[in-house]
Amino acid sequence: MSNVVLSVKNLSMSYLAARGRVRAVNNVSFDLHAGETLAIIGESGCGKSSLNLTLIRQLPTSAKIESGQLLYTKRDGQQLDILQLSKKGLQKFLWSEISMVFQGALNALNPVIRISDMVYDTGKAHGLSKAESRKQALDLFEKVRLDPMRVFRAYPHELSGGMRQRVLLALALLLRPQVVIMDEPTTAVDILTQRSILEVLKELRRELNFSILFISHDLAIAAEIADTIATMYAGEIVEIGPVYEVFYHPRHAYTLSLLDAAPRLSVGAEELHSIPGSPPDLIEPPAGCKFHERCRLATDICAHTVPPIEIFNGNHRVSCHHHQIVRKEREEVIQS
Amino acid sequence: MSQQPLVELHGVYRSFEKERVRIPVLQDIHLNVYPNEVLCLVGESGCGKTTTGKIIASLLDASEGEVLYNGRRMAEYDRKERSLIRRQMQLVHQDPFASLNPAHTIGQILGYPLKRHKMVNGRAELRRRIWELLTLVDLTPPGDIVNKFPHQLSGGQRQRVSIARALTVNPKLIVADEAVSMVDVSIRIGILKMLHNLRDMFNLAIVFITHDLALAKYFAWEGRIAVMYLGRIVEIGRTQDIIANPAHPYTRALLSAVPEADPNLTRKKQPIPLRSDEIPRLTAIPPGCAFHPRCPFYQPGVCDVSVPRLAQAPGYAQDTACIPLTTGEQLVPYGT
Ligand SMILES: Nc1ncnc2c1ncn2[C@@H]1O[C@H](COP(=O)(O)OP(=O)(O)OP(=O)(O)O)[C@@H](O)[C@H]1O
Ligand SMILES: Nc1ncnc2c1ncn2[C@@H]1O[C@H](COP(=O)(O)OP(=O)(O)OP(=O)(O)O)[C@@H](O)[C@H]1O
Ligand code: SF4
Ligand SMILES: [Mg+2]
Ligand SMILES: [Mg+2]
């Protein structure tokens, strides 16, 4: 595969709450390659957004990054640790190297500021002249299939939800970052709007070749756009691997359960299953495998021993005591 | 389906006044709901699903047209019968948090309608009935739940409580309006399976409102789907027929746009592009077929002239409202 742009190593972060420390990101490691789309999937509250916010250091004051490294490689090969950047250094770094499109982004646009002013402000903070910013923005608006001049002069409220989402995508790309982080960018939009955003995104990605870190609880979108899937549970990445591997040959019981709960429109009658219970408390998580209380494959060992990390085929990393059973079960389902 | 429908909508119109402007929200809706059936209403935001659901549940009056309950207009029943019929149609909302009183325990929430409608005699029977209802919605052991407040339950548990509350009055029909949209994907299926069981047990009809087509297909596989667009039903029929062989261009576009939780399947899909992404405002509904400005098969001089009516088109089992199709023509891409 191509070069690693962002290498996350043993990252842990927690929030200080009244009852104790909420361990929202726990010893997370992964590499993001140039041009790669990595989708992080998992239930609500598993720490997806927290991981995101840690990567770009936009955490509330109650949060503490406890350990880890965020090694980032610039286009010229220079390497840096995002966690070591000064406040000013971080400001320069965001948008130009890593940018983001947030969850519920429809509200992310300030209603009293014209789109053009947002473009100028963002450009100016990174040393672009007004003319340069404008040219870049109009070009990107065209690429995301918006009417460039109309949108440039508009206030956010004059645009539909889908248009605003595309404006945000264009703004995120204004300074040609290598990485764009997207947190549920298509939740709360309609099917056809979601489709046009996905198509635009795929086109942009082909043309501009940036990497995407995509956070979603929607397995279908992940299946469509990701090269790599990471399953997150209780603050940890429990499985990560190429999209076809994870969908057709998963090795973690939690991934298997997520797949078992996802209906597919064009597959006729389906036998689906819920995951019992709800995600665990992140202040006092269960011992052993954190999923064991909800796992239908769990045995004694799962309740007291943390499953070791195992690597298959070089790039499929899993920690599940019963990965062999998982693999076999899914294969039987696929064959039937 | 020759049996007596529970609810019949005959040429129903509904509009709202907003700042002295009349907004037509539903137009010429013809729809029957039969005992024990599953009927899904699907379509994009604002197409009128909730309004239709409320009219079915007799929570809202039609502006024009006729609504029959068990074959008769509401006005033909006396007061007592009316209140009985109203009780037989229950609505379950999307957000159980908003619809459950936060200051009441679950026991009180269920006890109130039981007492008010004199469904039980005496304290012992009240308690027994509450226990029974909680067991029916799989909130067990009931003793752990009755004294809790809504905020002490998970989203999925709260939604089970709202379903239990709907069951207190022995309904014949439940309108579930986006009832699982806010609960996690992983636990949705459990709630849907429970709804199916309740339906079998109590001979319930379920009107299931969703914008998630894969979920609609799963839940209503043995039932029917009605696809709505801008206040009209554009296609209605058996789920299996519509999914396998969608007729209306809007339905085709929707089905083709939905990503699938399966990488091969989703990447093979060919989304049907529309001629425009813009959803017209309800105050400016296009003449003729309201879908014509976006329709990839638009026939000038035909589709923009008269309003299509729901009818069976040759080659399709379901009813559809598309002029070329119902007049037996082939759909040809616009401009060819
Ligand atoms: N500011 C905060 N203070 C304390 N706890 C927090 C804070 N933000 C999030 N949490 C907790 O951290 C955990 C992870 O939350 P996070 O928002 O990262 O999950 P998520 O996977 O993004 O969920 P969702 O799919 O609902 O967006 C949760 O238990 C949450 O309650
Ligand atoms: N009480 C009301 N007053 C004014 N307009 C209303 C009222 N109720 C609904 N509307 C309008 O009627 C249209 C249809 O609303 P409805 O809630 O039925 O749509 P829906 O299909 O359920 O949409 P969603 O998927 O967003 O829930 C919308 O444009 C809405 O703004
Ligand atoms: S009536 Fe015409 S415009 Fe409407 S859906 Fe059919 S082909 Fe398209
Ligand atoms: Mg989140
Ligand atoms: Mg609605």
Side-chain angles (χ1 to χ4, degrees):
Chain A
M1 225 195 230
S2 51
N3 312 336
V4 174
V5 183
L6 176 66
S7 181
V8 176
K9 292 193 193 300
N10 307 105
L11 186 69
S12 294
M13 183 279 287
S14 63
Y15 298 103
L16 189 60
R19 271 177 54 236
R21 291 219 155 266
V22 182
R23 303 192 181 281
V25 178
N26 199 350
N27 203 21
V28 164
S29 301
F30 64 84
D31 288 339
L32 181 68
H33 299 83
E36 180 184 21
T37 298
L38 168 65
I40 300 181
I41 57 172
E43 283 165 284
S44 185
C46 70
K48 303 181 297 293
S49 298
S50 300
L51 171 60
N52 257 346
L53 296 175
T54 312
L55 298 180
I56 52 173
R57 286 175 52 195
Q58 301 293 306
L59 291 163
T61 50
S62 66
K64 183 171 169 232
I65 299 174
E66 288 171 353
S67 62
Q69 286 180 304
L70 296 176
L71 301 178
Y72 181 87
T73 308
K74 290 190 171 180
R75 283 198 179 88
D76 63 9
Q78 189 201 338
Q79 222 186 40
L80 57 88
D81 184 346
I82 300 173
L83 295 181
Q84 304 302 324
L85 286 173
S86 66
K87 215 172 160 187
K88 236 179 147 178
L90 182 68
Q91 260 174 25
K92 264 189 72 186
F93 179 82
L94 296 179
W95 296 97
S96 59
E97 298 288 344
I98 298 187
S99 67
M100 50 265 151
V101 179
F102 277 118
Q103 184 165 13
L106 304 183
N107 318 324
L109 292 173
N110 188 334
V112 294
I113 301 183
R114 276 183 205 272
I115 305 292
S116 55
D117 290 326
M118 288 181 215
V119 169
Y120 292 143
D121 286 353
T122 313
K124 195 173 155 203
H126 292 85
L128 283 194
S129 72
K130 259 185 143 170
E132 280 168 315
S133 298
R134 185 186 142 105
K135 186 171 163 295
Q136 285 286 357
L138 292 181
D139 179 43
L140 283 163
F141 288 159
E142 182 98 51
K143 284 196 167 74
V144 297
R145 299 191 213 148
L146 291 167
D147 173 354
M149 276 324 291
R150 180 181 154 213
V151 167
F152 195 66
R153 290 199 206 99
Y155 286 101
H157 72 87
E158 296 166 341
L159 307 174
S160 71
M163 289 163 88
R164 274 183 275 179
Q165 208 75 358
R166 280 181 273 166
V167 167
L168 283 167
L169 197 56
L171 282 177
L173 292 167
L174 191 68
L175 297 155
R176 295 297 144 87
Q178 288 194 92
V179 178
V180 181
I181 296 180
M182 299 182 187
D183 197 333
E184 313 267 13
T186 64
T187 31
V189 303
D190 278 316
I191 299 167
L192 295 173
T193 311
Q194 171 183 289
R195 171 51 56 198
S196 70
I197 294 171
L198 287 178
E199 294 305 318
V200 158
L201 184 61
K202 288 195 269 187
E203 231 172 80
L204 282 172
R205 184 175 64 175
R206 247 191 323 270
E207 213 171 311
L208 305 174
N209 197 43
F210 48 93
S211 314
I212 301 174
L213 197 67
F214 193 93
I215 312 292
S216 181
H217 57 253
D218 188 336
L219 262 66
I221 298 179
E224 175 155 337
I225 69 161
D227 303 303
T228 307
I229 303 271
T231 312
M232 202 165 176
Y233 190 76
E236 295 170 0
I237 289 184
V238 295
E239 174 160 19
I240 181 168
V243 60
Y244 291 94
E245 275 290 303
V246 172
F247 268 87
Y248 299 128
H249 311 288
R251 294 181 189 256
H252 198 289
Y254 179 58
T255 310
L256 180 69
S257 305
L258 285 176
L259 293 170
D260 278 348
R264 288 163 299 171
L265 180 63
S266 42
V267 171
E270 283 181 292
E271 185 65 51
L272 300 177
H273 303 279
S274 266
I275 308 180
S278 39
D281 184 15
L282 295 181
I283 296 178
E284 287 176 76
C289 169
K290 288 179 180 168
F291 183 55
H292 81 261
E293 289 166 342
R294 306 172 67 197
C295 180
R296 63 186 168 83
L297 299 179
T299 55
D300 276 354
I301 187 174
C302 308
H304 39 72
T305 310
V306 175
I309 293 172
E310 297 184 60
I311 296 173
F312 303 90
N313 309 327
N315 57 3
H316 189 172
R317 194 179 80 215
V318 187
S319 21
C320 174
H321 289 298
H322 296 308
H323 59 82
Q324 279 162 332
I325 305 178
V326 172
R327 188 179 161 88
K328 214 169 130 240
E329 277 207 9
R330 179 69 175 167
E331 254 144 44
E332 278 160 14
V333 170
I334 288 174
Q335 268 154 27
S336 70
Chain B
M1 288 202 219
S2 52
Q3 46 181 333
Q4 167 74 55
L6 283 175
V7 186
E8 297 162 65
L9 272 54
H10 294 291
V12 162
Y13 288 72
R14 173 72 215 201
S15 55
F16 294 104
E17 278 303 309
K18 208 173 187 176
E19 288 151 15
R20 306 234 174 130
V21 181
R22 198 185 60 88
I23 306 166
V25 166
L26 292 183
Q27 299 194 61
D28 200 23
I29 301 285
H30 292 267
L31 183 68
N32 290 352
V33 186
Y34 296 93
N36 200 223
E37 80 160 329
V38 175
L39 171 66
C40 262
L41 303 182
V42 303
E44 290 173 288
S45 184
C47 69
K49 302 182 293 297
T50 296
T51 307
T52 306
K54 283 185 175 163
I55 291 178
I56 290 171
S58 80
L59 294 170
L60 196 70
D61 290 328
S63 309
E64 268 174 68
E66 209 165 43
V67 185
L68 306 182
Y69 298 93
N70 299 319
R72 287 197 280 162
R73 280 182 294 127
M74 223 23 136
E76 294 172 46
Y77 292 104
D78 66 30
R79 241 188 72 210
K80 246 177 120 182
E81 290 168 324
R82 271 207 295 274
S83 102
L84 179 69
I85 286 170
R86 290 228 160 84
R87 239 184 287 151
Q88 287 172 345
M89 326 279 169
Q90 291 289 312
L91 187 96
V92 174
H93 285 278
Q94 163 170 24
D95 181 3
F97 213 44
S99 65
L100 300 177
N101 188 331
H104 290 174
T105 64
I106 305 308
Q108 290 168 326
I109 288 170
L110 298 180
Y112 178 71
L114 288 173
K115 286 189 282 191
R116 186 179 155 201
H117 299 296
K118 304 203 172 53
M119 311 298 292
V120 289
N121 276 318
R123 289 189 71 91
E125 199 184 325
L126 176 69
R127 192 187 124 101
R128 204 172 60 234
R129 182 74 181 129
I130 291 174
W131 248 244
E132 190 178 86
L133 285 164
L134 288 171
T135 311
L136 277 173
V137 296
D138 301 327
L139 288 173
T140 51
D144 288 357
I145 305 281
V146 275
N147 292 320
K148 287 203 167 137
F149 291 92
H151 72 88
Q152 293 171 305
L153 302 180
S154 71
Q157 289 175 317
R158 283 196 290 266
Q159 201 51 282
R160 288 172 188 272
V161 172
S162 353
I163 293 167
R165 183 178 57 182
L167 293 174
T168 54
V169 290
N170 302 328
K172 291 211 167 130
L173 181 154
I174 287 186
V175 178
D177 190 355
E178 304 278 2
V180 294
S181 302
M182 285 174 70
V183 304
D184 224 294
V185 189
S186 56
I187 57 176
R188 270 180 200 173
I189 300 301
I191 296 181
L192 297 185
K193 283 187 175 174
M194 180 193 80
L195 274 175
H196 264 298
N197 289 340
L198 294 171
R199 173 179 152 252
D200 291 343
M201 253 186 284
F202 301 113
N203 201 35
L204 281 172
I206 299 180
V207 175
F208 187 76
I209 297 178
T210 183
H211 59 266
D212 183 335
L213 282 166
L215 209 62
K217 166 240 138 186
Y218 172 74
F219 188 68
W221 185 245
E222 304 289 340
R224 294 190 298 152
I225 285 185
V227 184
M228 299 185 66
Y229 183 74
L230 284 181
R232 287 178 190 269
I233 294 175
V234 297
E235 180 153 5
I236 182 166
R238 288 181 45 212
T239 303
Q240 300 181 22
D241 294 330
I242 291 181
I243 299 291
N245 191 21
H248 198 281
Y250 178 64
T251 315
R252 296 186 194 193
L254 282 182
L255 296 186
S256 75
V258 175
E260 306 268 1
D262 181 318
N264 277 324
L265 199 59
T266 198
R267 291 170 202 220
K268 263 194 293 226
K269 278 184 101 157
Q270 304 226 325
I272 299 173
L274 298 185
R275 287 168 42 241
S276 150
D277 282 343
E278 218 152 314
I279 305 175
R281 265 182 291 242
L282 288 171
T283 44
I285 295 179
C289 170
F291 188 55
H292 86 254
R294 304 175 71 195
C295 181
F297 306 106
Y298 163 55
Q299 295 186 10
V302 177
C303 303
D304 50 352
V305 176
S306 55
V307 177
R309 311 216 160 266
L310 272 175
Q312 197 176 354
Y316 296 93
Q318 67 271 31
D319 286 349
T320 187
C322 166
I323 299 166
L325 277 179
T326 49
T327 51
E329 280 176 55
Q330 294 290 327
L331 291 180
V332 279
Y334 172 75
T336 55

